Amino acid sequence: MKNMGSSLLFGIFILVAGTFYGTFLIHTSNRKATTDRIDRLQAAFTSQNTQLKKISEIIRNEQREKGSLKLKVGKFNRYFVSFGLVNNMIDANDINNEYTNRINNVPFSLVINDDDELLVTIRILDTNGEIIFDMVRGNWALKRIDNFSVNFDNTGLEILGKKGEVLLQIDITDNRIEISGILNDENSSSFVSPNELVQIPFSNLNYQNTWEYHFQNLNRKFVHHGQNYLGKRIIQTP
């Protein structure tokens, strides 16, 4: 009878221990399954987040490399078009029918559409004659090289070259349209700024000195750094 009682107690102990161990295994298994699910969810989230970042970067790059520039202008009878020391007062009808001109050997045109938007046509070359920037009636494309930067808003545009020089700057204030920059043809550069309009052949011994003067005296008007610089201007101090 005593042995039978001991056996019964031992059996109960085995049953309880087995139940506890089974519960422990189930809990461990469930916890592992939960952890695995969390790991899979985190991996999926990380993958999606990476893809979103790639898409955002592609969009940002596309915004920097091509776009549409429609500059807002008010209604005036005449517009003051300035490139360097040359200033022209242009009748509104002439611009509405697309005003064309040249900055030395570099052609450009201006036209105002029915929505009072100024559309510019101009092409910027480097000193090797390769196209850096091409804009036709406001639709523009920038050469896919990281060393160039473009920024613009609804009243202006600015392009920087490899060394941070202003290659093209268009700015509108009321009825005044100002064009500045370094405009190249096949053999020379036209350095255009509010106080300067000079054409220098690439072979000229004073070319680099003129380039340096232009670089130092034509101030940037737009921000060209950071993640969200598009459309931001530099705050000018008096």
Side-chain angles (χ1 to χ4, degrees):
M1 189 75 179
K2 183 178 180 180
N3 289 336
M4 191 171 83
S6 298
S7 298
L8 181 60
L9 289 174
F10 180 73
I12 292 172
F13 172 78
I14 293 297
L15 180 61
V16 171
T19 301
F20 175 80
Y21 183 66
T23 302
F24 172 77
L25 289 178
I26 291 172
H27 177 72
T28 301
S29 176
N30 289 340
R31 185 171 61 183
K32 185 176 184 305
T34 301
T35 301
D36 289 343
R37 284 197 298 272
I38 292 173
D39 289 343
R40 286 196 298 270
L41 286 172
Q42 287 178 336
F45 176 78
T46 301
S47 177
Q48 290 179 356
N49 194 38
T50 300
Q51 291 298 320
L52 287 174
K53 286 182 178 179
K54 288 181 179 179
I55 292 171
S56 297
E57 186 64 26
I58 290 171
I59 292 172
R60 281 197 296 269
N61 288 336
E62 287 294 316
Q63 288 177 321
R64 295 185 181 109
E65 293 170 352
K66 62 182 179 181
S68 179
L69 179 70
K70 298 178 180 179
L71 302 171
K72 295 298 294 183
V73 291
K75 288 184 178 294
F76 297 94
N77 293 325
R78 292 186 176 184
Y79 294 88
F80 191 76
V81 181
S82 170
F83 40 95
L85 299 176
V86 177
N87 303 296
N88 295 323
M89 188 66 76
I90 311 300
D91 190 81
N93 290 329
D94 291 334
I95 296 185
N96 291 338
N97 293 320
E98 191 157 18
Y99 167 77
T100 60
N101 203 335
R102 284 179 175 268
I103 302 175
N104 290 332
N105 295 328
V106 179
F108 74 96
S109 71
L110 307 171
V111 62
I112 297 177
N113 63 17
D114 294 335
D115 296 321
D116 296 326
E117 296 169 332
L118 179 70
L119 308 180
V120 181
T121 297
I122 195 168
R123 176 175 288 177
I124 305 299
L125 308 177
D126 64 15
T127 54
N128 296 316
E130 295 185 6
I131 298 173
I132 298 173
F133 178 84
D134 194 20
M135 182 160 57
V136 179
R137 288 200 164 198
N139 294 312
W140 61 268
L142 182 72
K143 188 175 181 180
R144 289 176 176 266
I145 294 181
D146 293 336
N147 292 334
F148 297 104
S149 177
V150 60
N151 201 358
F152 60 93
D153 58 16
N154 62 355
T155 59
L157 168 132
E158 187 173 79
I159 303 169
L160 301 186
K162 295 179 181 180
K163 298 179 180 179
E165 72 277 20
V166 177
L167 294 176
L168 179 64
Q169 192 178 82
I170 301 173
D171 201 27
I172 296 176
T173 305
D174 297 326
N175 68 331
R176 185 181 184 91
I177 303 165
E178 294 186 353
I179 301 173
S180 303
I182 303 175
L183 306 179
N184 298 324
D185 57 35
E186 294 179 356
N187 303 304
S188 64
S189 292
S190 293
F191 295 92
V192 187
S193 67
N195 300 313
E196 177 188 33
L197 177 57
V198 58
Q199 184 177 16
I200 303 287
F202 300 141
S203 58
N204 191 291
L205 295 177
N206 289 322
Y207 182 88
Q208 187 60 34
N209 290 334
T210 306
W211 190 97
E212 292 288 346
Y213 176 85
H214 177 86
F215 178 80
Q216 294 173 9
N217 288 278
L218 182 56
N219 296 324
R220 298 180 187 179
K221 294 189 176 183
F222 285 85
V223 177
H224 288 268
H225 59 271
Q227 287 293 319
N228 300 305
Y229 66 81
L230 293 174
K232 292 182 180 179
R233 287 187 177 239
I234 296 172
I235 299 174
Q236 303 291 339
T237 55

